[in-house]
Amino acid sequence: MRTLTLFNHAGGVMKSSLTRDVGHTLAQAGQRVLLVDLDPQANLTDWLGVTGVTRDQTVYDTATRGDPLPSPIHVHGLDLIPSDVSLALAEGQMMGVVGAHLHLRQALAAWSDRYDAVLIDSPPSLGQLSILGALAADHLIVPVPTRQKGMNALAGLSEAMATYRKLRPDLTVALYVPTLYDSRRSHDREAYAALRELLNPLASPIADRGAVWNDSASAGQPVGVYAPGSPVHRDVLRATAEIAQAAGLNVRIEGAQA
């Protein structure tokens, strides 16, 4: 089992979108996939069409007390531990519990024979839940938009990694993924060139095709269900293949070079 956390303290960088669509693509390729939504905003949960979540269906008790994970919801061919706004209360509760930041890693270890891949969607912050998700990972996958916003976030990412490695010296970034790329904009081209100089390993950029991402989220469907064969879906297939290779997942993604 490989556990990958989609991590960036900046919001709007495609963490939830990639978690959903890479997870769905891996499941379609025959992998046993679990998604874990750690963001109280619950975008990943909403964008899979899951509603009516209660706190006991989230990681709340795992995070705050070290309880086993709740039974996941099966949706679109994969398993999901959903989120809800009530998960935000875990931030304060975790601060008084010794070792709370390792609770999710320990709980996932008990399920190591159930899944091939676990993808964790972390919140857009550097709070307690983000630490929980980062320390649960075998590798981090870091989406970075090809904008000034993405460049500005790199310093914070570097500082966070230095802190996390004090507890998990083996923690690595398996792949940086440039997102929201528009080759028609000189700013994007310049930012992408800068990322190529600064970051390694760096994936191929994911194009800014907002309409399909937004519409699939509104429909509560992965891109592969909502718009199969579309340019966005081809981007997802390629990104999944690159992430799988970087993380050491033994899986072939059909159509990744389309």
Side-chain angles (χ1 to χ4, degrees), residues 17-35 48 75-79 117 119 213 221-229 232-244 249-257:
S17 297
L18 284 174
T19 303
R20 181 193 67 174
D21 289 296
V22 169
H24 177 257
T25 304
L26 289 172
Q28 292 296 297
Q31 298 283 287
R32 300 169 298 166
V33 178
L34 172 68
L35 305 185
L48 282 165
V75 58
H76 294 299
L78 43 76
D79 284 353
L119 276 69
W213 292 108
Q221 296 177 336
V223 164
V225 175
Y226 181 81
V232 172
H233 188 214
R234 291 196 294 271
D235 285 346
V236 168
L237 293 174
R238 186 188 67 250
T240 303
E242 293 180 358
I243 289 170
L249 287 168
N250 184 23
V251 59
R252 178 179 174 80
I253 306 299
E254 297 291 341
Q257 303 303 319

Side-chain angles (χ1 to χ4, degrees), residues 49-72:
V50 176
T51 60
V53 175
T54 59
R55 193 174 78 177
D56 61 357
Q57 292 177 290
T58 74
V59 301
Y60 184 91
D61 290 337
T62 301
T64 59
R65 302 199 308 231
D67 287 359
L69 289 164
S71 297

Side-chain angles (χ1 to χ4, degrees), residues 66-215:
D67 287 359
L69 289 164
S71 297
I73 295 168
H74 193 71
V75 58
H76 294 299
L78 43 76
D79 284 353
L80 168 71
I81 296 178
S83 184
D84 174 74
V85 67
S86 63
L87 185 59
L89 299 173
E91 291 275 355
Q93 295 293 322
M94 289 175 64
M95 293 179 69
V97 180
V98 176
H101 295 141
L102 294 174
H103 282 167
L104 180 56
R105 181 171 177 81
Q106 293 160 352
L108 286 171
W111 286 8
S112 61
D113 61 343
R114 292 176 57 171
Y115 296 101
D116 301 303
V118 177
L119 276 69
I120 300 172
D121 183 22
S122 66
S125 72
L126 291 176
Q128 305 301 305
L129 290 170
S130 294
I131 300 172
L132 182 78
L135 296 185
D138 295 312
H139 303 288
L140 301 182
I141 305 297
V142 180
V144 184
T146 55
R147 313 280 168 83
Q148 190 60 45
K149 174 182 180 179
M151 304 298 294
N152 292 343
L154 294 179
L157 287 169
S158 179
E159 291 177 9
M161 283 297 297
T163 300
Y164 300 159
R165 282 180 175 143
K166 293 177 182 178
L167 294 173
R168 285 281 315 283
D170 59 326
L171 184 63
T172 64
V173 175
L175 197 64
Y176 294 92
V177 183
T179 60
L180 303 174
Y181 180 64
D182 188 338
S183 62
R184 297 170 300 179
R185 293 191 292 248
S186 60
H187 176 78
D188 285 46
R189 295 195 301 272
E190 292 166 3
Y192 178 49
L195 292 178
R196 292 178 65 182
E197 292 291 327
L198 292 169
L199 302 178
N200 184 54
L202 189 69
S204 305
I206 295 177
D208 186 3
R209 309 182 202 271
V212 172
W213 292 108
N214 293 337
D215 291 347

